[in-house]
Amino acid sequence: MTTGGRTVSPQAQREFTMLCWDNNLEEVRRILAAQPEAVHWRHPDSGDTGLTYVAALGIEDCAIATLLLDGGADPDVKNNKGFTALMLATIARNGSEAHIALLLDKGADQTIRNNDGHTAEEIAKSIGRPEIAAEFDKYRQREAQRASDAKTTAQAQINAQVETLRAGTQTPLQVRKKPLQIKPKANP
């Protein structure tokens, strides 16, 4: 793999992804400080990234996953078997509700299908993990609440501007944050 204009050896990629698998936060931090592009490195045999490995651990500590995602790791990258980090968090031995919530909140696409045609949510249901499947419902509820809150905030801002206009303390041009641009008429 070539990143940042230099070739990265398969061994370096293997070592980095295995540090993620080992949940070695300090070493992962050290490598990312020197080589930020490591968030994209893949294990040469499995195609796993550090993010897919840490998601597969099934632990509640999301420090490495957060570090990788904040560094630009793509949550939707598939390994050689077609599994994303979200899918691997779903089937992790202990199941990691925290990783699932983090991945969804950071934009993981829950509609992606693995090589067998299943989404992460479908996998959770098929393996009898209702507590994991519930995370997808919680995410949809959070998203609906965010949309509702944004709509309420926008409506409150509009109402405040209307009241300002009704009170006569400002003109419409003063209420607008960006002044209107008046274009001169073109001569025929």
Side-chain angles (χ1 to χ4, degrees):
M1 170 181 251
T2 303
T3 57
R6 58 183 169 212
T7 301
V8 180
S9 73
Q11 183 61 30
Q13 292 182 64
R14 178 182 290 109
E15 288 171 4
F16 177 76
T17 56
M18 294 312 296
L19 287 170
C20 293
W21 176 255
D22 291 338
N23 201 31
N24 190 332
L25 179 60
E26 293 312 311
E27 280 300 301
V28 169
R29 237 188 219 131
R30 184 186 64 73
I31 290 171
L32 288 175
Q35 297 176 286
E37 69 276 4
V39 298
H40 306 294
W41 292 356
R42 292 172 169 259
H43 190 284
D45 301 325
S46 66
D48 281 292
T49 63
L51 185 59
T52 57
Y53 270 149
V54 77
L57 287 174
I59 59 173
E60 292 301 313
D61 180 3
C62 296
I64 291 178
T66 301
L67 186 65
L68 295 169
L69 288 163
D70 288 348
D74 182 350
D76 298 328
V77 169
K78 292 181 177 183
N79 66 12
N80 293 348
K81 293 183 180 179
F83 283 85
T84 64
L86 186 59
M87 292 171 188
L88 291 169
T90 299
I91 62 173
R93 185 176 8 158
N94 299 321
S96 176
E97 291 93 336
H99 274 91
I100 291 168
L102 173 68
L103 289 162
L104 288 170
D105 286 339
K106 292 287 190 170
D109 184 348
Q110 58 186 312
T111 65
I112 292 177
R113 297 184 177 278
N114 65 9
N115 293 351
D116 295 326
H118 303 289
T119 66
E121 185 174 12
E122 291 168 348
I123 293 168
K125 290 176 180 176
S126 73
I127 61 174
R129 304 294 295 276
E131 73 283 4
I132 299 298
E135 287 302 315
F136 294 92
D137 290 329
K138 289 177 190 175
Y139 171 73
R140 284 188 284 275
Q141 290 169 358
R142 284 192 308 272
E143 285 300 298
Q145 185 61 49
R146 285 181 192 136
S148 175
D149 292 348
K151 183 178 177 182
T152 300
T153 300
Q155 188 61 51
Q157 291 171 345
I158 290 169
N159 291 343
Q161 290 175 354
V162 167
E163 287 306 313
T164 299
L165 292 172
R166 283 188 181 148
T169 57
Q170 291 184 332
T171 67
L173 290 177
Q174 292 169 321
V175 170
R176 289 179 55 88
K177 295 192 187 299
K178 181 179 176 187
L180 291 175
Q181 301 294 320
I182 301 173
K183 296 180 182 177
K185 288 184 179 181
N187 290 333

